[in-house]
Amino acid sequence: MYQPIRQHVGRLRALAVAPSLVAGLLALNAVTPGLQAQEATPTPTPGTVQVEPHASRWDYPKTLNLPEGSKSHIVQKGDTLWDLANKYLGNPYAWPQIWELNQWIKDPHWIYPGDPIVIDLARSVATAASVPQDVTDLQPDNRPSGLTVVQRPELAFSFQDFIQLPFLAPEGAAAHYKSQGAFRITGNKHSERSYLGEGETVYTTGGTEQGVKQGDRFVILRTVTTKLRSPRGGKQPLGDVIQQIGVLRVVTPMAKGSVAIIERCMDSVQIGDHLVRFTEPANIPMQLRKDTGDPVKLASDPAMVVFGRDSRIDTASGDQIIIDRGSNSGLKVGDVLLAVRSKSFPVSEEANKKDKATETTTHYLGQAMVIRVEPGSSTCRVLRSEEEIRMGDLLTR
């Protein structure tokens, strides 16, 4: 349903970085031609530097006291620690040296435009020839481990998964928003724009009278499906599907409303989207099951896939799905389920279809991990898939 919109704002699903790909230490925005205008030969700039206020996920220093031989760099669109190490130190593999001096950056994958970076130019590498041969010959996927190398496990669930997570509200979207005390986006700085992206200014309901403070973060929500019906049948709908769109940060709270910056989004943000309080999600390391041989033994009450993101019929690795079993069935966040499809086949040669005897078996489709649980439903992220997972397929423990 929203695929064209995501293409318009540049959806970044490919940001899931394998632990060995240091070159994927991405800033939050795409590279722009203006980045090429940066100085070619850095020069030290000792002294005190005041940092302009800006939207960032990190608690950046407001004043920099630069030691002799150091330089400050203000992050621009497209910057990465990998690229900054190559530019200032002459060696992209030296990015941990920059991170070491800027420990307020909690995750080197994310540096934000406007963030201040301190770089010790004494650590620079004058020429590629001065880099040991066993380093210059390395590719990002076969670097040795060591104290200066950040070893990151493959994640089954990360922040970028969180901000595009769908979930089922059985009571209906309106009742859910009311129960959460949700605010709304009512306008934006550039009123002619219908679809908004990262870094843009928006206006919201909810101000100091409602307890909103400067720096507060909110998850942006949107209703994407109403009265979802189960493939199992039944007269009553399962509920409404709500999609998490992104996160914004309040920069100027007023009495009854606030000015905010869209901090991160994987889909376009729109006027009318709802806002609920943000809680930092936990990353969950990948843990795959090995009992994947056919036929797959089904639990007594397997879950069924009832929704695929963007109402897609087929889903694959990395996609998020909703199933019709939740905490009432004993499911919890972190459970890894096997996706299974039943298959009937004939075991007789009767010509009449009615008289043909059949047997039913199951075969393995993939694995999915529970990432959000409601009493009667759960959201899962597909970890691995050998073939497409469809609405109506089963998930079992």
Side-chain angles (χ1 to χ4, degrees):
M1 180 185 302
Y2 292 94
Q3 186 68 23
I5 296 174
R6 288 202 312 280
Q7 291 175 347
H8 173 72
V9 297
R11 185 173 179 185
L12 304 177
R13 274 183 182 253
L15 287 178
V17 182
S20 60
L21 294 181
V22 180
L25 300 173
L26 299 178
L28 291 181
N29 296 279
V31 176
T32 61
L35 187 59
Q36 305 303 319
Q38 293 184 11
E39 57 189 4
T41 304
T43 55
T45 55
T48 300
V49 177
Q50 297 296 324
V51 180
E52 292 293 330
H54 64 281
S56 176
R57 185 178 177 186
W58 312 126
D59 185 16
Y60 59 87
K62 310 307 183 286
T63 301
L64 296 180
N65 295 312
L66 297 177
E68 190 70 29
S70 296
K71 178 178 179 61
S72 64
H73 175 90
I74 301 301
V75 174
Q76 306 295 315
K77 289 183 178 181
D79 280 355
T80 69
L81 293 187
W82 172 269
D83 293 331
L84 295 180
N86 187 49
K87 175 181 178 179
Y88 291 113
L89 304 183
N91 177 11
Y93 289 95
W95 67 265
Q97 297 182 22
I98 298 179
W99 189 29
E100 178 186 353
L101 294 178
N102 299 272
Q103 286 296 293
W104 52 270
I105 301 174
K106 302 305 181 185
D107 184 341
H109 286 231
W110 306 116
I111 55 177
Y112 293 71
D115 282 355
I117 304 289
V118 175
I119 300 168
D120 182 2
L121 296 179
R123 303 185 183 191
S124 64
V125 179
T127 65
S130 66
V131 182
Q133 189 66 35
D134 59 348
V135 172
T136 57
D137 288 345
L138 288 175
Q139 298 297 320
D141 59 350
N142 59 6
R143 293 175 296 110
S145 59
L147 295 178
T148 61
V149 177
V150 177
Q151 297 293 322
R152 300 186 63 81
E154 183 180 359
L155 296 178
F157 181 73
S158 64
F159 183 74
Q160 70 184 45
D161 299 310
F162 169 79
I163 61 172
Q164 53 185 329
L165 181 151
F167 62 92
L168 187 65
E171 72 277 28
H176 178 81
Y177 296 140
K178 184 176 181 180
S179 69
Q180 296 298 309
F183 302 125
R184 299 192 76 172
I185 296 176
T186 58
N188 64 296
K189 183 176 180 179
H190 303 286
S191 56
E192 71 278 4
R193 297 182 187 173
S194 300
Y195 305 115
L196 309 174
E198 292 173 1
E200 298 202 59
T201 300
V202 297
Y203 309 124
T204 77
T205 62
T208 55
E209 292 181 0
Q210 290 76 38
V212 177
K213 303 183 298 298
Q214 182 179 15
D216 283 354
R217 299 167 79 193
F218 291 85
V219 180
I220 306 168
L221 302 178
R222 180 182 307 146
T223 306
V224 295
T225 300
T226 57
K227 298 182 179 179
L228 178 70
R229 295 194 174 274
S230 172
R232 298 182 193 265
K235 295 182 179 180
Q236 294 298 322
L238 299 174
D240 296 346
V241 177
I242 297 173
Q243 180 81 48
Q244 296 185 173
I245 303 297
V247 175
L248 61 73
R249 181 190 294 273
V250 173
V251 293
T252 307
M254 301 176 184
K256 298 182 183 298
S258 298
V259 180
I261 298 291
I262 300 173
E263 186 177 83
R264 186 76 197 281
C265 63
M266 300 291 278
D267 296 84
S268 66
V269 176
Q270 301 175 28
I271 306 304
D273 286 343
H274 289 78
L275 306 171
V276 298
R277 295 278 182 178
F278 170 84
T279 301
E280 189 76 34
N283 291 336
I284 305 178
M286 181 77 73
Q287 293 183 335
L288 295 172
R289 291 174 55 171
K290 297 181 179 179
D291 53 334
T292 59
D294 291 344
V296 179
K297 184 178 180 181
L298 289 175
S300 58
D301 187 26
M304 179 176 286
V305 179
V306 297
F307 179 84
R309 184 177 149 82
D310 306 317
S311 299
R312 288 199 300 270
I313 296 176
D314 298 333
T315 60
S317 298
D319 288 333
Q320 297 183 32
I321 56 179
I322 296 177
I323 59 177
D324 63 354
R325 296 291 183 268
S327 58
N328 289 343
S329 299
L331 293 182
K332 61 185 183 302
V333 171
D335 285 347
V336 177
L337 310 177
L338 300 183
V340 180
R341 184 172 300 152
S342 296
K343 179 76 173 181
S344 296
F345 60 93
V347 292
S348 65
E349 298 182 359
E350 283 79 0
N352 191 331
K353 208 171 189 182
K354 282 177 146 187
D355 297 331
K356 279 189 176 180
T358 62
E359 291 281 4
T360 300
T361 187
T362 58
H363 68 273
Y364 170 77
L365 300 175
Q367 303 186 40
M369 189 186 71
V370 177
I371 56 178
R372 175 170 175 146
V373 176
E374 307 293 339
S377 66
S378 300
T379 304
C380 301
R381 182 177 184 268
V382 179
L383 306 180
R384 295 287 188 271
S385 62
E386 294 191 352
E387 57 183 283
E388 69 281 358
I389 298 174
R390 300 171 180 164
M391 300 305 100
D393 284 337
L394 301 177
L395 268 70
T396 187
R397 296 185 187 184

